[in-house]
Amino acid sequence: MKKAAELLAQGVYRIYEISNLTGFSSPNHFNRVFYKQFGITPSNFAKMHMEKKDGG
């Protein structure tokens, strides 16, 4: 999950690509596991980091 968070923060890959890169066969399962660990959805996590990059 740490690697997934790093990839999401970079903003290079889409969530379904990150789920595959980190060994999940289902993006839905990836979303559930990510939310359970970080308390935020992968899409919101990525948005939050993109806003930080943009100065927001």
Side-chain angles (χ1 to χ4, degrees), residues 1-52:
M1 287 286 90
K2 183 178 177 182
K3 182 64 175 176
E6 291 171 6
L7 292 170
L8 283 166
Q10 291 173 6
V12 176
Y13 298 100
R14 298 192 182 275
I15 293 170
Y16 75 89
E17 293 172 314
I18 294 171
S19 72
N20 286 333
L21 289 169
T22 53
F24 287 86
S25 58
S26 164
N28 288 333
H29 184 227
F30 169 76
N31 286 340
R32 286 192 298 271
V33 172
F34 190 94
Y35 184 83
K36 188 173 184 179
Q37 179 155 348
F38 294 103
I40 188 170
T41 63
S43 59
N44 285 337
F45 183 90
K47 276 185 209 172
M48 182 178 69
H49 281 81
M50 292 310 293
E51 288 171 0
K52 285 182 183 177

